[in-house]
């Protein structure tokens, strides 16, 4: 196996590992909710206890000189979107079973395609619009509206709102990434998010028992490790190679939901999830093809 193939396999392994960590973190969010922890608290402690890992990453990666930025307002906007998305996402996992919340989260590429077309005016052909339509069909099949719906409507709406917000974050990160390193973006997001969340803790913070604190610390450390692993997975392989690994999180969400909460996905979830996953994979594939085509056009002489 060549060195390039080795690096790609390492990136894929890191991405798969990050999905185990991410699913575990979200299971811990649900456990914390069951132990009386407010979503605002969970978001704050997720960022607070992840901060040491981020600081170690910065120091080992070249020091604080590497996180200097000339775009503070872009990072503030990313923080505002990120905090909104995290609150909505955590709320979705407290309101829905793990597998269903994870499956609805797979609609992020669908909404990212729509937002890119509407807000940025990016050309979107019938291939990707067809994939968007397929994804929405998958959501309808899974949610099964009006026919003995097993999912609370409020939870579904919150999960969809979280996906739309996270789609906005992906577009923002794409724009910030043109001038800022990933470590810079992660550092400023983690640090600045603690300010508004710290203020919110004045109203939402509570005293908890020792076991709940163990859950909260684990949530922050596991979530921080997941973020670092996801970032590292992009170091030696393109997004089109590692991103499909994210769909493995459905396996872990199903297993954790069954083991911890005695919840298994409904039949409609198993029917709708493949349509949503196929939609997301095709959108990633088309974007990869377009990027390759544009790159070849840029280097081909007239």
């Amino acid at each position: 196996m060549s060195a390039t193939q080795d690096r790609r396999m390492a990136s894929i392994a890191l991405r798969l590992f990050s999905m185990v960590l991410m699913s575990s973190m979200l299971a811990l969010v649900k456990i914390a909710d069951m132990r009386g922890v407010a979503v605002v608290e969970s978001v704050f402690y997720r960022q607070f206890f992840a901060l040491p890992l981020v600081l170690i990453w910065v120091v080992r990666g070249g020091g604080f000189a590497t996180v200097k930025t000339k775009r503070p307002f872009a990072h503030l906007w990313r923080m505002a979107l990120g905090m909104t998305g995290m609150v909505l996402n955590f709320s979705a996992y407290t309101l829905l079973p793990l597998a269903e919340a994870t499956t609805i989260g797979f609609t992020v590429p669908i909404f990212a395609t729509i937002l890119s077309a509407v807000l940025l005016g990016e050309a979107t052909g019938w291939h990707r619009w067809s994939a968007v339509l397929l994804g929405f069909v998958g959501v309808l099949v899974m949610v099964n509206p009006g026919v003995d719906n097993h999912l609370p409507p409020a939870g579904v709406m919150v999960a969809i709102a979280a996906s739309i917000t996270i789609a906005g974050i992906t577009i923002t990160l794409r724009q910030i990434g043109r001038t800022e390193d990933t470590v810079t973006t992660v550092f400023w997001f983690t640090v600045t998010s603690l300010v508004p969340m710290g203020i919110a803790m004045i109203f939402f913070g509570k005293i908890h028992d020792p076991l709940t604190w163990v859950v909260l610390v684990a949530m922050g450390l596991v979530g921080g490790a997941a973020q670092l692993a996801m970032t590292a997975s992009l170091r030696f392989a393109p997004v089109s190679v590692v991103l499909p690994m994210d769909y493995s999180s459905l396996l872990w969400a199903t297993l954790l939901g069954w083991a911890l909460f005695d919840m298994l996905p409904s039949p409609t979830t198993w029917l709708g999830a493949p349509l949503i996953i196929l939609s997301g994979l095709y959108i990633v594939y088309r974007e990869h093809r377009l990027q390759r085509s544009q790159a070849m056009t840029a280097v081909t002489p007239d």
Side-chain angles (χ1 to χ4, degrees), residues 109-133 136 171 174 279 282-284 286-287 290 294:
I110 298 171
F111 289 114
T113 298
I114 296 172
L115 292 178
S116 296
V118 174
L119 299 180
L120 303 181
E122 291 187 1
T124 304
W126 69 270
H127 287 276
R128 280 192 282 182
W129 283 125
S130 298
V132 167
L133 180 60
F136 282 129
I171 294 173
R174 190 189 311 167
S279 168
Y282 191 71
I283 288 172
V284 171
R286 286 296 299 177
E287 189 165 330
L290 289 172
Q294 290 169 357

Side-chain angles (χ1 to χ4, degrees), residues 2 49 106 135 142 150 167 207 226 282 287:
S2 68
F49 290 120
F106 292 155
M142 187 187 77
H150 65 290
I207 297 174
Y282 191 71
E287 189 165 330

Side-chain angles (χ1 to χ4, degrees), residues 166-222:
I166 295 170
I169 294 170
T170 62
I171 294 173
T172 301
L173 288 175
R174 190 189 311 167
Q175 294 176 319
I176 293 178
R178 294 170 183 168
T179 59
E180 305 284 86
D181 290 334
T182 301
V183 63
T184 305
T185 305
V186 172
F187 172 80
W188 285 114
F189 171 57
T190 304
V191 171
T192 58
S193 65
L194 290 174
V195 176
M197 298 312 298
I199 295 173
M201 284 293 288
I202 297 173
F203 306 97
F204 291 92
K206 292 178 288 188
I207 297 174
H208 299 288
D209 62 87
L211 183 56
T212 302
W213 282 112
V214 171
V215 171
L216 292 172
V217 173
M219 181 200 307
L221 293 177
V222 172

Side-chain angles (χ1 to χ4, degrees), residues 215-254:
V215 171
L216 292 172
V217 173
M219 181 200 307
L221 293 177
V222 172
Q227 186 174 27
L228 297 181
M230 289 176 68
T231 302
S233 71
L234 296 171
R235 187 173 180 185
F236 298 119
V239 173
S240 59
V241 172
V242 299
L243 199 60
M245 302 304 109
D246 290 5
Y247 294 104
S248 66
S249 60
L250 180 56
L251 169 64
W252 304 115
T254 300

